[in-house]
Amino acid sequence: MKNRITISKVIITLLMITIIGIGISGCGKTQTKLPLLEFPQFGGFTPHNFEVQINADTSKLPKQATVYKVIPGKIDEKTVEKLCKIFGFDASAVKTKDKYGVVRKQNGKMLCTYNTGSYYFGETKNLHNYFPGKVVPSKEECVKIAKSFVDKYNLLPKRYKYHVAISSNTTFHPSFEKSILIDRTVSFRPVINGREIAGASLDITIGDKGEIEAVDNYLYDIAPLKGTYALKSMDEVIKELKTDSSKQWWIEPDKPGVKKIIVDKVEIKYYGDVGTPLEFKQLFVQPVYYLSGETVYKDGTRGRFGVTLQAVSNRYIKP
């Protein structure tokens, strides 16, 4: 009798361990299967038949991560009224409607509102244009102007924190025989769980004397999927680096003959939709590995590289 009770307790304990293990690993049957990520390519050479040396400390990288579903926004009448008021459009604006949304034009300006919830405003005369006397504020001033603008009109969803980046736009002007600064773009990029979502952003382009030349909103809401998803091990990552699976490389100098890559840093980021405002290409926000470091070429020269690849374990990826 005691033997039967002992055996029953062992079986129950094993079952409990198995159930807990499944719950922790996030590999239950209810997990949503994910599509293979399709990365836009930068062009240039992709390394083949190379060695991989990992110098980065990967011991503290998470083994699991949350995946999110993209929730497209909606442009309702109230939102349209708000945008028209912000950017100076009234009932006399010329409207063109198609299956993607509505385009309004008035006084040399354009406002596009899309069914995906995205929108775009452009001051068509001065945007990315040089003219004598054009003065573009400093980077610090442009960031202040952009922050003041989004705060004033409450343009950033509260659910995210944001990483602020700035880029300078130039053009070559023959009369100066050099590149001329024409405007700067301040980007507000959403951060979730401490990690930036690549692809999503609100971009504000600032030109002459602080004028807002363009606003490009490509933010969307997200909702977490049930459970967590196991991530690929470093052994799996190294193996995939040497295959033709989907990944995104950049290499400097951009030339063939990579003999070895030395990985100095491994990061986990989130990769969102990087399609167009017209339609979503990626319906999920997934974690990705970003590896960077040094390239060693067969001719003895050295360079730099970065590569992005899907981090979620292949057992969750649709065949």
Side-chain angles (χ1 to χ4, degrees):
M1 184 68 177
K2 283 186 178 181
N3 287 340
R4 287 183 180 178
I5 293 172
T6 302
I7 292 171
S8 297
K9 286 182 177 179
V10 170
I11 292 172
I12 291 170
T13 302
L14 289 173
L15 283 171
M16 289 178 68
I17 292 171
T18 303
I19 291 167
I20 292 169
I22 289 172
I24 292 173
S25 65
C27 59
K29 293 181 179 179
T30 59
Q31 295 284 132
T32 301
K33 290 288 186 179
L34 305 173
L36 182 69
L37 281 175
E38 296 181 8
F39 299 105
Q41 300 301 309
F42 297 135
F45 293 98
T46 298
H48 295 283
N49 302 318
F50 55 88
E51 300 173 37
V52 178
Q53 178 179 321
I54 304 286
N55 286 354
D57 179 10
T58 61
S59 61
K60 296 181 181 178
L61 288 174
K63 307 298 183 186
Q64 299 172 333
T66 302
V67 175
Y68 298 85
K69 183 175 178 58
V70 172
I71 312 266
K74 292 183 180 180
I75 298 287
D76 55 22
E77 289 186 12
K78 187 176 180 180
T79 303
V80 171
E81 287 176 8
K82 175 184 175 181
L83 294 175
C84 286
K85 186 175 180 180
I86 292 171
F87 299 117
F89 289 79
D90 58 33
S92 64
V94 178
K95 292 194 297 184
T96 305
K97 187 175 182 179
D98 61 21
K99 64 179 181 179
Y100 297 114
V102 179
V103 177
R104 290 171 173 81
K105 294 183 179 180
Q106 187 174 14
N107 300 327
K109 299 181 292 185
M110 180 169 64
L111 175 62
C112 307
T113 51
Y114 301 105
N115 298 333
T116 57
S118 299
Y119 62 82
Y120 168 81
F121 162 76
E123 213 290 349
T124 55
K125 181 181 178 181
N126 294 334
L127 179 61
H128 302 325
N129 252 341
Y130 169 78
F131 53 84
K134 186 172 188 177
V135 178
V136 181
S138 67
K139 290 182 179 180
E140 293 76 14
E141 280 300 312
C142 284
V143 170
K144 287 181 182 178
I145 292 168
K147 285 184 175 179
S148 176
F149 184 78
V150 297
D151 289 344
K152 179 180 179 180
Y153 295 111
N154 194 26
L155 296 180
L156 295 175
K158 295 291 191 290
R159 74 158 293 140
Y160 299 115
K161 293 183 178 178
Y162 292 89
H163 170 237
V164 180
I166 186 167
S167 59
S168 300
N169 307 312
T170 60
T171 187
F172 180 78
H173 199 274
S175 63
F176 290 96
E177 297 183 350
K178 63 178 182 179
S179 293
I180 301 297
L181 177 67
I182 49 176
D183 44 45
R184 303 186 197 274
T185 299
V186 179
S187 299
F188 296 87
R189 300 170 181 169
V191 175
I192 195 78
N193 294 337
R195 305 182 194 281
E196 184 180 309
I197 302 176
S201 68
L202 176 71
D203 301 329
I204 298 179
T205 301
I206 298 168
D208 186 41
K209 301 175 183 63
E211 177 191 19
I212 304 293
E213 291 184 345
V215 177
D216 196 355
N217 175 65
Y218 196 58
L219 296 173
Y220 41 78
D221 199 5
I222 57 175
L225 295 181
K226 185 178 180 180
T228 55
Y229 287 72
L231 304 181
K232 293 169 184 170
S233 66
M234 274 300 105
D235 287 340
E236 292 174 302
V237 169
I238 292 171
K239 185 177 179 181
E240 285 198 12
L241 282 176
K242 298 181 178 183
T243 68
D244 292 326
S245 62
S246 180
K247 48 191 173 286
Q248 184 186 68
W249 286 91
W250 66 263
I251 296 176
E252 293 178 357
D254 185 12
K255 65 178 186 178
V258 173
K259 179 182 179 182
K260 179 167 75 170
I261 65 169
I262 302 171
V263 181
D264 296 324
K265 193 173 184 180
V266 179
E267 303 171 78
I268 293 180
K269 301 183 178 184
Y270 272 107
Y271 195 85
D273 189 80
V274 290
T276 70
L278 305 182
E279 58 182 341
F280 289 107
K281 299 295 184 183
Q282 305 283 356
L283 297 180
F284 300 93
V285 173
Q286 300 189 41
V288 293
Y289 283 117
Y290 180 69
L291 285 65
S292 57
E294 190 175 19
T295 51
V296 180
Y297 294 89
K298 293 177 182 177
D299 62 6
T301 59
R302 291 176 177 252
R304 304 296 298 173
F305 82 94
V307 60
T308 302
L309 67 160
Q310 197 162 14
V312 171
S313 172
N314 286 330
R315 70 173 178 265
Y316 302 114
I317 307 304
K318 292 178 183 178

